């Protein structure tokens, strides 16, 4: 696998943080930190921050993403947001299948797949999250579980559409806990994801796929994680809310 054939992408997942005014302030701090980066830079903000995020990042190298999307175009789905609503705002990316959506809001592999196909059909780029819990890792089923999640999520996705998909491996036990998979553990799973994609599509499609690590990557461990041959970026939680820390991770991915 030739890592030079794919772009590293660092995406910040702000989760349920920042009012619109606070978002504007943070973006002002982020712009000089990531200017000129030799990698993709994305910020995934709460829905209410998206208009200001799109406006403030115009003309910069920062792209804007949402944290979820519904699979229907419209209808009686109180509290949900459609892909067309996001694209009309100027949003380019969307996170789908984050472990917190699965854990707290009933997201399943099947609904993840429906959201993925709806987002791609609307022209959005997808950051697809997969990963195992602590119990599942201890049971030794990480590889099988992540492969299953990947296969179901990509059902109906063509090889052409796969070009607009990033897969983020996020071990659930390492999100918001301060724990981080070792570089070797993360590399092993990301390598496995690439092999699954090769089996579903082709070696060239797998080689071109950006795979992120999403479990407590921070300014201190980013260099080691990003040096792995199958880790092409990060889906960043807490560190994305601190401009210097996020900037340091972007710099690590730009090397």
């Amino acid at each position: 696998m030739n890592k030079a054939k794919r772009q590293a992408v660092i995406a910040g997942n702000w989760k349920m943080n920042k009012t619109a005014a606070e978002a504007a302030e943070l973006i002002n701090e982020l712009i000089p930190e990531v200017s000129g980066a030799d990698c993709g830079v994305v910020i995934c903000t709460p829905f209410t921050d998206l208009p200001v995020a799109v406006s403030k990042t115009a003309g910069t190298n920062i792209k804007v993403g949402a944290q979820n999307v519904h699979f229907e175009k419209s209808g009686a789905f109180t509290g949900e947001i459609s892909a067309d609503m996001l694209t009309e705002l100027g949003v380019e990316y969307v996170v789908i299948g984050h472990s917190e959506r699965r854990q707290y809001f009933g997201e399943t592999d099947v609904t993840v797949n429906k959201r993925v196909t709806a987002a791609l059909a609307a022209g959005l780029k997808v950051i697809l999250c997969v990963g195992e819990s602590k119990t599942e890792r201890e049971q030794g089923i990480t590889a099988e579980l992540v492969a299953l999640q990947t296969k179901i999520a990509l059902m109906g996705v063509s090889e052409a559409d796969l070009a607009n998909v990033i897969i983020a491996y996020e071990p659930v036990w390492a999100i918001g806990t301060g724990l981080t998979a070792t570089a070797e553990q993360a590399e092993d799973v990301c390598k496995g994801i690439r092999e699954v994609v090769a089996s579903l599509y082709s070696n060239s499609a797998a080689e071109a796929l950006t795979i992120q690590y999403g479990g407590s990557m921070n300014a201190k461990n980013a260099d080691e994680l990003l040096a792995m041959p199958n880790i092409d970026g990060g889906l960043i939680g807490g560190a994305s809310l601190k401009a210097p820390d996020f900037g340091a991770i972007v710099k690590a991915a730009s090397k």
Side-chain angles (χ1 to χ4, degrees):
M1 290 295 175
N2 185 353
K3 195 168 183 175
K5 290 188 175 181
R6 49 190 180 264
Q7 183 188 41
V9 177
I10 301 297
N13 176 16
W14 289 13
K15 306 191 179 183
M16 196 178 71
N17 292 291
K18 303 297 180 184
T19 64
E22 291 168 342
E25 184 177 346
L26 178 54
I27 292 167
N28 283 338
E29 296 172 3
L30 283 172
I31 289 170
E33 290 283 350
V34 304
S35 177
D38 190 23
C39 68
V41 181
V42 185
I43 54 171
C44 301
T45 77
F47 288 130
T48 55
D49 294 348
L50 290 173
V52 71
V54 170
S55 174
K56 296 288 289 184
T57 58
T60 75
N61 62 320
I62 301 174
K63 306 300 183 183
V64 176
Q67 297 173 16
N68 193 29
V69 65
H70 199 265
F71 43 80
E72 296 291 351
K73 291 181 74 69
S74 63
F77 302 101
T78 302
E80 292 293 335
I81 305 292
S82 74
D84 289 342
M85 294 173 183
L86 295 178
T87 57
E88 185 181 61
L89 286 178
V91 171
E92 294 186 45
Y93 286 81
V94 62
V95 177
I96 296 177
H98 191 280
S99 64
E100 289 158 4
R101 299 298 311 175
R102 296 176 191 256
Q103 182 178 355
Y104 302 130
F105 303 104
E107 197 77 63
T108 68
D109 292 336
V110 172
T111 58
V112 165
N113 171 246
K114 292 172 73 172
R115 294 178 200 273
V116 167
T117 54
L120 291 171
L124 291 165
K125 295 180 175 68
V126 169
I127 300 175
L128 166 64
C129 300
V130 297
E132 84 286 9
S133 68
K134 184 178 180 182
T135 299
E136 289 159 344
R137 173 163 281 275
E138 290 171 346
Q139 291 171 336
I141 61 172
T142 295
E144 295 94 327
L145 181 80
V146 171
L148 184 66
Q149 289 176 338
T150 302
K151 289 177 180 179
I152 295 175
L154 294 177
M155 285 176 57
V157 175
S158 69
E159 187 164 330
D161 279 339
L162 188 69
N164 290 315
V165 175
I166 292 170
I167 297 182
Y169 166 55
E170 41 155 35
V172 180
W173 49 272
I175 297 171
T177 63
L179 299 173
T180 308
T182 65
E184 291 74 20
Q185 286 175 321
E187 164 64 16
D188 185 54
V189 180
C190 290
K191 181 173 183 275
I193 291 170
R194 205 174 300 284
E195 290 170 351
V196 169
V197 171
S199 72
L200 293 174
Y201 297 95
S202 65
N203 287 333
S204 60
E207 191 171 67
L209 177 71
T210 295
I211 300 178
Q212 299 174 322
Y213 173 70
S216 297
M217 183 184 285
N218 55 51
K220 293 181 179 179
N221 61 27
D223 277 318
E224 183 183 13
L225 286 162
L226 292 167
M228 294 291 108
N230 286 285
I231 299 177
D232 309 311
L235 181 59
I236 315 301
S240 70
L241 299 173
K242 302 172 184 176
D245 288 5
F246 191 66
I249 297 170
V250 169
K251 287 177 177 67
S254 297
K255 293 178 180 177

